[in-house]
Amino acid sequence: MSSTPLSPQYQRALQLFEEHNLPEAAALLETVVKEEPTNAYAFNDLGTICFYLAQDNEAVSHLTHAAELSPTDELILKNCVEVFTALGLAEKSAQYQAQLSQTQLTETELNQTQQNSTGEPLSSCEPVTPPTYRDWE
């Protein structure tokens, strides 16, 4: 997924989330996902907020869509596993756990092939990952 600047609305939604104003953050993210229908992280964040608001069907829908948009993103897959497990959706959680395990295996193989003769990675650049909100309570 490319690293593009966040829209002002998305930035404001994240600020509202940090201020614990979840209903307003969710409302603003609803607008963001309509305007940016391919923004997997916006769907991820909206799904996570819906989970915190006990809007379980919406949480499942948004997180599932985020994983469809970005099927190898570890953050999104981890959130799917955690939320679906918490909601008692064991089969759906296991599906995303398997997808996550495959993604991690593929990345490990890729990292092994990208090392030089000294065993050091060819690039010291770390991937950019958005903040995870699953740890917030």
PDB file of all heavy atoms in Angstrom, residues 111-122:
ATOM      1  N   ASN A 111      12.710 -11.409   3.211  1.00  0.00           N
ATOM      2  CA  ASN A 111      13.820 -10.801   3.956  1.00  0.00           C
ATOM      3  C   ASN A 111      15.083 -11.653   3.858  1.00  0.00           C
ATOM      4  O   ASN A 111      16.186 -11.125   3.762  1.00  0.00           O
ATOM      5  CB  ASN A 111      13.441 -10.589   5.419  1.00  0.00           C
ATOM      6  CG  ASN A 111      12.439  -9.474   5.592  1.00  0.00           C
ATOM      7  OD1 ASN A 111      12.315  -8.598   4.744  1.00  0.00           O
ATOM      8  ND2 ASN A 111      11.704  -9.514   6.686  1.00  0.00           N
ATOM      9  N   GLN A 112      14.922 -12.972   3.868  1.00  0.00           N
ATOM     10  CA  GLN A 112      16.082 -13.853   3.770  1.00  0.00           C
ATOM     11  C   GLN A 112      16.750 -13.732   2.412  1.00  0.00           C
ATOM     12  O   GLN A 112      17.968 -13.816   2.308  1.00  0.00           O
ATOM     13  CB  GLN A 112      15.672 -15.295   4.047  1.00  0.00           C
ATOM     14  CG  GLN A 112      15.332 -15.539   5.496  1.00  0.00           C
ATOM     15  CD  GLN A 112      14.750 -16.917   5.741  1.00  0.00           C
ATOM     16  OE1 GLN A 112      14.389 -17.640   4.817  1.00  0.00           O
ATOM     17  NE2 GLN A 112      14.647 -17.280   7.011  1.00  0.00           N
ATOM     18  N   THR A 113      15.983 -13.528   1.370  1.00  0.00           N
ATOM     19  CA  THR A 113      16.570 -13.418   0.033  1.00  0.00           C
ATOM     20  C   THR A 113      17.145 -12.035  -0.226  1.00  0.00           C
ATOM     21  O   THR A 113      17.902 -11.851  -1.164  1.00  0.00           O
ATOM     22  CB  THR A 113      15.535 -13.737  -1.065  1.00  0.00           C
ATOM     23  OG1 THR A 113      14.469 -12.802  -0.986  1.00  0.00           O
ATOM     24  CG2 THR A 113      15.022 -15.150  -0.948  1.00  0.00           C
ATOM     25  N   GLN A 114      16.802 -11.058   0.601  1.00  0.00           N
ATOM     26  CA  GLN A 114      17.282  -9.696   0.399  1.00  0.00           C
ATOM     27  C   GLN A 114      18.477  -9.361   1.274  1.00  0.00           C
ATOM     28  O   GLN A 114      18.762  -8.210   1.518  1.00  0.00           O
ATOM     29  CB  GLN A 114      16.160  -8.689   0.667  1.00  0.00           C
ATOM     30  CG  GLN A 114      15.059  -8.730  -0.353  1.00  0.00           C
ATOM     31  CD  GLN A 114      13.982  -7.709  -0.055  1.00  0.00           C
ATOM     32  OE1 GLN A 114      13.861  -7.216   1.049  1.00  0.00           O
ATOM     33  NE2 GLN A 114      13.204  -7.386  -1.062  1.00  0.00           N
ATOM     34  N   GLN A 115      19.184 -10.349   1.772  1.00  0.00           N
ATOM     35  CA  GLN A 115      20.353 -10.078   2.592  1.00  0.00           C
ATOM     36  C   GLN A 115      21.612 -10.200   1.750  1.00  0.00           C
ATOM     37  O   GLN A 115      21.701 -11.009   0.835  1.00  0.00           O
ATOM     38  CB  GLN A 115      20.408 -11.059   3.765  1.00  0.00           C
ATOM     39  CG  GLN A 115      19.291 -10.811   4.767  1.00  0.00           C
ATOM     40  CD  GLN A 115      19.381 -11.743   5.955  1.00  0.00           C
ATOM     41  OE1 GLN A 115      20.140 -12.695   5.959  1.00  0.00           O
ATOM     42  NE2 GLN A 115      18.595 -11.454   6.962  1.00  0.00           N
ATOM     43  N   ASN A 116      22.585  -9.377   2.105  1.00  0.00           N
ATOM     44  CA  ASN A 116      23.850  -9.463   1.376  1.00  0.00           C
ATOM     45  C   ASN A 116      24.735 -10.534   2.008  1.00  0.00           C
ATOM     46  O   ASN A 116      24.314 -11.243   2.914  1.00  0.00           O
ATOM     47  CB  ASN A 116      24.540  -8.096   1.342  1.00  0.00           C
ATOM     48  CG  ASN A 116      24.911  -7.585   2.720  1.00  0.00           C
ATOM     49  OD1 ASN A 116      25.048  -8.360   3.662  1.00  0.00           O
ATOM     50  ND2 ASN A 116      25.073  -6.287   2.853  1.00  0.00           N
ATOM     51  N   SER A 117      25.961 -10.636   1.566  1.00  0.00           N
ATOM     52  CA  SER A 117      26.845 -11.703   2.027  1.00  0.00           C
ATOM     53  C   SER A 117      27.180 -11.615   3.514  1.00  0.00           C
ATOM     54  O   SER A 117      27.585 -12.595   4.119  1.00  0.00           O
ATOM     55  CB  SER A 117      28.126 -11.703   1.197  1.00  0.00           C
ATOM     56  OG  SER A 117      28.787 -10.455   1.349  1.00  0.00           O
ATOM     57  N   THR A 118      27.028 -10.456   4.125  1.00  0.00           N
ATOM     58  CA  THR A 118      27.314 -10.330   5.552  1.00  0.00           C
ATOM     59  C   THR A 118      26.106 -10.687   6.404  1.00  0.00           C
ATOM     60  O   THR A 118      26.186 -10.684   7.622  1.00  0.00           O
ATOM     61  CB  THR A 118      27.746  -8.889   5.901  1.00  0.00           C
ATOM     62  OG1 THR A 118      26.645  -8.011   5.644  1.00  0.00           O
ATOM     63  CG2 THR A 118      28.950  -8.461   5.107  1.00  0.00           C
ATOM     64  N   GLY A 119      24.982 -10.966   5.754  1.00  0.00           N
ATOM     65  CA  GLY A 119      23.788 -11.310   6.504  1.00  0.00           C
ATOM     66  C   GLY A 119      22.956 -10.110   6.894  1.00  0.00           C
ATOM     67  O   GLY A 119      21.935 -10.237   7.547  1.00  0.00           O
ATOM     68  N   GLU A 120      23.412  -8.932   6.490  1.00  0.00           N
ATOM     69  CA  GLU A 120      22.668  -7.717   6.804  1.00  0.00           C
ATOM     70  C   GLU A 120      21.630  -7.444   5.725  1.00  0.00           C
ATOM     71  O   GLU A 120      21.867  -7.728   4.554  1.00  0.00           O
ATOM     72  CB  GLU A 120      23.630  -6.515   6.888  1.00  0.00           C
ATOM     73  CG  GLU A 120      24.604  -6.602   8.030  1.00  0.00           C
ATOM     74  CD  GLU A 120      23.928  -6.567   9.378  1.00  0.00           C
ATOM     75  OE1 GLU A 120      23.009  -5.742   9.569  1.00  0.00           O
ATOM     76  OE2 GLU A 120      24.310  -7.365  10.254  1.00  0.00           O
ATOM     77  N   PRO A 121      20.492  -6.869   6.091  1.00  0.00           N
ATOM     78  CA  PRO A 121      19.509  -6.501   5.069  1.00  0.00           C
ATOM     79  C   PRO A 121      20.109  -5.495   4.098  1.00  0.00           C
ATOM     80  O   PRO A 121      20.956  -4.690   4.464  1.00  0.00           O
ATOM     81  CB  PRO A 121      18.376  -5.862   5.875  1.00  0.00           C
ATOM     82  CG  PRO A 121      18.566  -6.344   7.264  1.00  0.00           C
ATOM     83  CD  PRO A 121      20.040  -6.581   7.432  1.00  0.00           C
ATOM     84  N   LEU A 122      19.673  -5.556   2.843  1.00  0.00           N
ATOM     85  CA  LEU A 122      20.179  -4.639   1.832  1.00  0.00           C
ATOM     86  C   LEU A 122      19.716  -3.209   2.076  1.00  0.00           C
ATOM     87  O   LEU A 122      20.357  -2.265   1.662  1.00  0.00           O
ATOM     88  CB  LEU A 122      19.738  -5.092   0.437  1.00  0.00           C
ATOM     89  CG  LEU A 122      20.325  -6.412  -0.029  1.00  0.00           C
ATOM     90  CD1 LEU A 122      19.746  -6.789  -1.387  1.00  0.00           C
ATOM     91  CD2 LEU A 122      21.835  -6.322  -0.116  1.00  0.00           C
TER      92      LEU A 122
END
